[in-house]
């Protein structure tokens, strides 16, 4: 079993679930990823109930978020994705209410949801991420193609789950890709395409205690990796171990861990990474997810399982981290 697997077993061994008190599971919400969050949150809720935790669902998409403080929650598991759930807003509310919660705090959440801010932090820490530019309606499309090459990826800076994202193969397609992304966001980024294998690496813990879980390789069907395939297709294959040599897996884990620490993340996160096959499989960071999916298809539960930790134990351990909360909001340890 991995280091982390042993830590989880030790920390859960003498836990009395009743000591966690009354637990709120935030699920659903108002973002474009509402449906995924309902699947994540219901999985989390069932796991906590199975463990004997006094857990209750709260849906800030249906219920007034301002009422979270009226439910007597002692701690909260955030199973929301995207805006108003993963972006620092609900985290700020919980800080004000002084209710401990899972996941990154305000600053790290807000930075990680912003792909541009994230890349700037990574670049300033010499962590590899694809070259990029910002797009505007009057951008010089040709200059962008001359600078970043083709194909390109165009994406909204703040949306997740591949919404509004396009792969652009020719200069003529770039304005339409911009228009599509602009439906979702006012800040649009364009990135050079990294051609090679796609990996994802979950990180758990905080500061010096943070650890990388096993790396997963995502092998999409030929049609590409879009919103549908990411969550509902049986054609996407997930390989863990990845099939690459251990030195490369270790390199990806080291990069993902540095990426997590540089943003000041807490509890858990998941870095999306592409390997540049033309450049000796050099890994490049795409983004950091600070409230990763917890559905039955999801990647963090898959990596945890490979590390010897089942879904229910993973959920309970994540919740348990709220007992060790660092009192300084946003502190980078
Ligand atoms: N620069 C890039 N090079 C190659 N593939 C990319 C690039 N950017 C995005 N992709 C592909 O698009 C997917 C979604 O992009 P990502 O930045 O992770 O946004 P999100 O998951 O928030 O929609 C990635 O998993 C990858 O398959
Ligand atoms: Mg992603």
């Amino acid at each position: 079993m991995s280091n982390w697997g042993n830590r989880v077993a030790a920390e859960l061994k003498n836990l009395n679930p009743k000591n966690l008190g009354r637990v709120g599971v935030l699920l659903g919400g108002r973002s474009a990823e509402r449906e995924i969050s309902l699947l994540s949150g219901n999985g989390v809720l069932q796991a906590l109930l199975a463990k004997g935790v006094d857990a209750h669902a709260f849906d800030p998409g249906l219920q007034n978020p301002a009422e979270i403080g009226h439910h007597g929650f002692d701690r909260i598991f955030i199973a929301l994705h995207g805006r108003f759930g993963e972006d620092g807003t609900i985290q700020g509310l919980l800080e004000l209410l002084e209710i401990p919660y899972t996941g990154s705090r305000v600053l790290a959440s807000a930075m990680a949801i912003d792909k541009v801010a994230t890349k700037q932090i990574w670049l300033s820490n010499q962590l590899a991420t694809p070259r990029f530019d910002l797009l505007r309606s009057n951008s010089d499309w040709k200059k962008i193609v001359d600078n970043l090459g083709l194909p390109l990826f165009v994406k909204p800076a703040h949306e997740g789950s591949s919404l509004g994202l396009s792969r652009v193969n020719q200069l003529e397609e770039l304005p339409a890709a911009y228009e599509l992304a602009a439906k979702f966001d006012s800040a649009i980024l364009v990135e050079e395409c990294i051609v090679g294998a796609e990996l994802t690496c979950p990180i758990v813990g905080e500061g010096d205690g943070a650890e990388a879980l096993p790396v997963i390789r995502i092998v999409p069907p030929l049609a590409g990796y879009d919103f549908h395939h990411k969550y509902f297709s049986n054609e996407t294959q997930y390989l863990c171990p990845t099939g690459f040599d251990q030195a490369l897996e270790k390199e990806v884990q080291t990069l993902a861990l540095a990426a997590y620490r540089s943003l000041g993340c807490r509890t858990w996160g998941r870095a999306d990474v592409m390997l540049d096959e033309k450049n000796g499989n050099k890994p490049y960071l795409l983004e950091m997810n600070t409230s990763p999916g917890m559905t039955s298809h999801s990647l963090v539960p898959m990596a945890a399982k490979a590390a010897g930790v089942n879904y229910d134990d993973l959920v309970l351990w994540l919740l348990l981290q709220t007992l060790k909360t660092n009192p300084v909001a946003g502190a980078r340890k």
Side-chain angles (χ1 to χ4, degrees):
M1 205 187 278
S2 66
N3 282 345
W4 176 71
N6 289 323
R7 251 171 80 194
V8 171
E11 287 183 41
L12 296 187
K13 197 166 165 224
N14 297 317
L15 175 72
N16 177 356
K18 294 293 171 225
N19 292 345
L20 292 165
R22 189 174 160 85
V23 175
V25 176
L26 302 191
L27 80 188
R30 289 194 273 155
S31 84
E33 292 169 87
R34 174 178 170 78
E35 295 306 316
I36 309 301
S37 168
L38 288 172
L39 296 174
S40 291
N42 279 310
V44 166
L45 183 65
Q46 293 315 315
L48 293 177
L49 293 173
K51 288 285 186 183
V53 175
D54 181 22
H56 303 265
F58 185 97
D59 183 344
L62 301 178
Q63 296 164 270
N64 182 349
E67 284 169 15
I68 292 178
H70 301 167
H71 290 255
F73 294 138
D74 296 300
R75 62 200 70 257
I76 282 190
F77 193 115
I78 299 179
L80 299 166
H81 309 312
R83 281 182 201 180
F84 308 120
E86 191 169 355
D87 62 356
T89 53
I90 206 94
Q91 289 77 8
L93 176 62
L94 297 175
E95 295 281 347
L96 279 171
L97 295 171
E98 298 186 22
I99 305 176
Y101 56 92
T102 57
S104 291
R105 303 185 86 162
V106 176
L107 179 60
S109 301
M111 277 196 305
I113 200 118
D114 184 321
K115 291 187 167 91
V116 175
T118 298
K119 288 168 75 79
Q120 282 161 345
I121 295 273
W122 286 341
L123 288 172
S124 70
N125 284 279
Q126 286 83 46
L127 301 174
T129 185
R131 290 186 303 132
F132 74 105
D133 208 337
L134 295 176
L135 281 185
R136 295 176 218 290
S137 57
N138 61 355
S139 286
D140 182 340
W141 313 111
K142 179 156 184 323
K143 199 167 154 196
I144 285 163
V145 169
D146 288 344
N147 182 25
L148 299 176
L150 285 168
L152 290 168
F153 273 83
V154 173
K155 42 181 126 168
H158 302 100
E159 207 53 76
S161 294
S162 307
L163 292 171
L165 175 141
S166 329
R167 184 184 150 123
V168 168
N169 296 311
Q170 300 178 38
L171 171 64
E172 296 70 40
E173 298 167 13
L174 193 49
Y178 168 79
E179 291 301 331
L180 175 71
K183 290 194 176 126
F184 294 90
D185 208 324
S186 54
I188 311 301
L189 99 153
V190 56
E191 258 181 17
E192 67 175 329
C193 177
I194 306 295
V195 179
E198 169 155 12
L199 307 176
T200 199
C201 181
I203 308 289
V204 289
E206 186 177 3
D208 292 340
E211 277 184 65
L213 298 191
V215 182
I216 296 171
R217 179 174 178 182
I218 299 151
V219 186
L222 283 179
Y225 191 33
D226 64 13
F227 183 68
H228 172 77
H229 285 113
K230 204 165 200 171
Y231 297 104
F232 301 110
S233 170
N234 294 321
E235 295 161 57
T236 302
Q237 280 185 290
Y238 301 97
L239 307 179
C240 185
T242 59
F244 291 107
D245 60 50
Q246 277 191 0
L248 181 58
E249 289 193 340
K250 185 80 201 124
E251 186 184 350
V252 170
Q253 288 179 311
T254 302
L255 179 67
L257 189 55
Y260 180 91
R261 287 195 177 131
S262 71
L263 293 167
C265 296
R266 184 183 74 171
T267 314
W268 63 330
R270 208 196 74 225
D272 290 339
V273 173
M274 295 293 306
L275 298 182
D276 184 359
E277 66 185 16
K278 293 197 307 289
N279 191 4
N281 276 337
K282 178 179 171 179
Y284 283 83
L285 293 161
L286 289 187
E287 62 156 349
M288 180 67 68
N289 300 287
T290 55
S291 186
M294 283 296 284
T295 73
S296 56
H297 273 56
S298 291
L299 301 163
V300 176
M302 196 180 294
K305 193 169 169 204
V309 176
N310 68 37
Y311 184 94
D312 289 6
D313 284 350
L314 166 66
V315 170
L316 190 58
W317 184 83
L318 292 169
L319 182 65
L320 200 58
Q321 303 317 297
T322 58
L323 294 172
K324 337 178 176 163
T325 288
N326 171 353
V328 184
R332 278 181 227 163
K333 293 209 305 176

